[in-house]
Amino acid sequence: MTYDVAVVGAGPAGMSAALSAADAGLSVLVVDEQLRAGGQIFRQPPVEFSDSALAPTAGYGWAADLLERFENHFGITHLASSTAYGILRDRDEGTLSLKLAVAGPTVNGAVAVKRVLIATGAFDMPVAFPGWTLPGVMTAGAVQSLLKSQHVLAGDDLVLAGSHPLLIIVADQLVKKGARVSELAFARGIPAPRELIAARRAIPGHTALLAESSRALVRLVSRGVTVSTKTIVTGAFGDRAVESVELAKVDKQWNASTERRRRTASTLVLGYGFSPSTELARQADCEMVWHSPKGGWVVAHDERMSTSAPGIFVAGEPTGVAGAEQSRAEGHLAGLSIARELSAPRAPTTTVLAQANSALKGATRFSTVVQSMFEPQRQALAQLATPETTICRCELVTCETVQRTLSDNPFISTASAVKLQCRSGMGPCQGRYCEGTISALVANERHTSPREAGHFTAHLPVKPVPVQTLGALDRDLQ
């Protein structure tokens, strides 16, 4: 069958969009890689667990209702444990014809759709430094996923380092479960008075969330966790796994001092923020724009959440990392916009669309403050890598290789050109782990900016799939 809309991602944005479109009378297909809906922030344990019900943190009381409505809506077909790895457009016909390439246990091939909504979320921002490839170096999102979905501690003796406030919540959750967190190191300093004054507009409607974060910080200090500011991790050391980490003080631009100190640890948890998952949007030829506070390269869109690619909409973190509340608001607006465009049986009125826009503006006030206060200093982070540091883990490309490529080829000024020359970004992850560092290295060497260094291109399949899956796609397209 041909679905009215295919939603890629079942996080807050995807679920909200699917419900809006389905409530309007459209047939909705949702494709998500996880076993259960919720995305990263509302990740649920397996149903076999005795406590499989969602227990959202403060400020997200609406999450349980959103999940329940999504999982029980008769108008939504949910393909769990499935990957959307490409969007195809039929250019020979006068009318818009889209197909979504899907690999999963129940659907394996091309699905015909009228519209596509990309709500693919984000992933932890990678930072390359000596020892970052050692077993025991993990991201905050990975540690939290283990804790939420499997009730597994990533380690017993941990150091958390980065710049994102999520680290406070993760550290608190780890300590509650019995882990020993010896230090929580933030690269940025204590917010200046001017920042605090500017942040006042983010308080209305978010007091519960802010209060919980403050209480978590107090609990950590009371339990003996060292909380340091203007401190960055410069190395991880160990024979076959992490045994200690090296820390250094930094200035306002995060340039590390020469004075270093060591702290024993079996696990190093990194949390410098998030990068939007935009590979599917790039493959579909959606226009991208650079916005560092929002996470880097984000998908451009209009007031209806429509992208530059015909028939493709976007919501949630691909428009800029802004959190669950804004993702939900964007998804709701995108679902309504699609229903209006397709003249759904119960298409939203102009008043309903105006209300959705108003709710989105309210959520944006909070996210804008957070983005501004915790923007990572990308070019300083890129300088942490030594010549021997592996930058591209898939193709084993070192920092020295990238620097030599730039030195030998003075005409190279983009990340994509570096990719073509030394294969960085051509492995299974398709550049998710190295693109940001490559871009920053190019910008540093050429005295430009990450915006001018550009981003990698994306091709089908945007994620690894079995060869037989591509064979099924070929059969469906014939």
Side-chain angles (χ1 to χ4, degrees):
M1 64 176 292
T2 298
Y3 287 90
D4 291 321
V5 56
V7 178
V8 183
M15 289 189 294
S16 183
L19 286 167
S20 297
D23 286 345
L26 299 181
S27 57
V28 180
L29 175 71
V30 177
V31 182
D32 188 72
E33 294 181 347
Q34 302 304 317
L35 189 62
R36 301 185 68 185
Q40 171 64 15
I41 190 166
F42 302 135
R43 187 178 290 270
Q44 303 181 79
V47 292
E48 292 81 5
F49 282 30
S50 58
D51 57 345
S52 62
L54 177 72
T57 54
Y60 301 118
W62 45 264
D65 178 65
L66 180 66
L67 272 164
E68 183 180 4
R69 290 180 58 220
F70 174 81
E71 293 177 336
N72 295 295
H73 201 293
F74 67 90
I76 298 174
T77 301
H78 179 201
L79 297 182
S81 303
S82 300
T83 299
Y85 61 92
I87 298 174
L88 301 105
R89 187 180 297 109
D90 193 338
R91 302 178 186 274
D92 297 330
E93 299 180 7
T95 58
L96 181 63
S97 177
L98 298 173
K99 288 184 173 64
L100 183 68
V102 178
T106 57
V107 174
N108 201 27
V111 180
V113 298
K114 295 179 181 178
R115 297 292 184 273
V116 175
L117 172 67
I118 297 174
T120 43
F123 55 92
D124 291 78
M125 174 184 166
V127 175
F129 55 85
W132 79 298
T133 58
L134 274 174
V137 179
M138 302 181 67
T139 61
V143 170
Q144 196 177 49
S145 292
L146 283 174
L147 204 57
K148 286 181 177 180
S149 63
Q150 299 298 323
H151 300 173
V152 172
L153 286 173
D156 297 320
D157 186 9
L158 303 97
V159 169
L160 282 74
S163 58
H164 198 275
L166 174 66
L167 281 176
I168 299 173
I169 302 301
V170 174
D172 187 47
Q173 291 171 338
L174 288 167
V175 171
K176 284 181 179 178
K177 293 295 183 180
R180 178 178 178 270
V181 176
S182 57
E183 184 165 351
L184 177 58
F186 283 101
R188 66 153 295 149
I190 298 172
R194 181 180 298 178
E195 288 182 287
L196 294 175
I197 293 173
R200 288 184 302 173
R201 65 180 185 274
I203 296 176
H206 302 92
T207 52
L209 181 62
L210 296 171
E212 176 56 28
S213 298
S214 299
R215 287 194 294 267
L217 189 58
V218 171
R219 284 193 295 266
L220 290 171
V221 174
S222 67
R223 294 182 182 185
V225 177
T226 299
V227 179
S228 52
T229 59
K230 296 184 179 179
T231 303
I232 205 167
V233 60
T234 53
F237 303 92
D239 184 12
R240 297 188 177 183
V242 174
E243 296 172 4
S244 65
V245 298
E246 182 183 77
L247 300 160
K249 283 291 185 181
V250 295
D251 60 19
K252 190 175 181 180
Q253 284 72 43
W254 296 12
N255 297 305
S257 69
T258 56
E259 295 184 14
R260 310 293 166 90
R261 61 183 174 87
R262 290 281 188 100
R263 184 178 279 278
T264 301
S266 63
T267 306
L268 172 61
V269 183
L270 302 174
Y272 286 97
F274 301 92
S275 299
S277 294
T278 60
E279 57 277 354
L280 189 61
R282 297 184 196 185
Q283 182 269 323
D285 204 25
C286 298
E287 180 188 350
M288 306 294 297
V289 293
W290 173 259
H291 197 297
S292 182
K294 289 186 176 183
W297 288 105
V298 299
V299 184
H301 61 88
D302 62 16
E303 69 281 355
R304 301 179 306 118
M305 308 308 297
S306 177
T307 72
S308 61
I312 300 176
F313 290 71
V314 67
E317 312 294 43
T319 71
V321 179
E325 182 185 359
Q326 184 167 326
S327 293
R328 178 182 63 150
E330 287 185 355
H332 179 56
L333 176 59
L336 294 176
S337 298
I338 294 172
R340 185 74 172 264
E341 184 169 290
L342 294 179
S343 300
R346 296 181 292 278
T349 63
T350 302
T351 301
V352 171
L353 284 170
Q355 291 172 342
N357 267 299
S358 177
L360 176 55
K361 289 179 181 178
T364 303
R365 283 194 294 270
F366 177 75
S367 66
T368 300
V369 170
V370 175
Q371 291 164 351
S372 175
M373 291 184 69
F374 298 99
E375 177 188 0
Q377 299 288 341
R378 300 174 187 277
Q379 289 171 267
L381 291 174
Q383 294 174 352
L384 295 175
T386 61
E388 299 79 18
T389 303
T390 297
I391 300 298
C392 175
R393 302 171 70 141
C394 299
E395 297 292 327
L396 301 179
V397 178
T398 64
C399 182
E400 182 181 23
T401 300
V402 175
Q403 291 172 332
R404 186 171 61 249
T405 296
L406 292 170
S407 176
D408 293 346
N409 302 277
F411 56 86
I412 287 181
S413 60
T414 66
S416 280
V418 173
K419 174 183 177 180
L420 292 173
Q421 187 70 20
C422 61
R423 294 191 59 81
S424 54
M426 289 191 180
C429 88
Q430 288 293 282
R432 293 175 186 82
Y433 281 94
C434 67
E435 181 189 75
T437 303
I438 296 291
S439 176
L441 287 172
V442 172
N444 287 346
E445 181 68 23
R446 298 293 185 245
H447 306 290
T448 58
S449 68
R451 175 188 288 104
E452 293 172 279
H455 57 77
F456 293 162
T457 55
H459 305 281
L460 187 153
V462 298
K463 291 190 175 181
V465 294
V467 172
Q468 65 181 17
T469 294
L470 299 178
L473 177 64
D474 181 59
R475 289 191 297 273
D476 285 352
L477 296 178
Q478 289 179 0

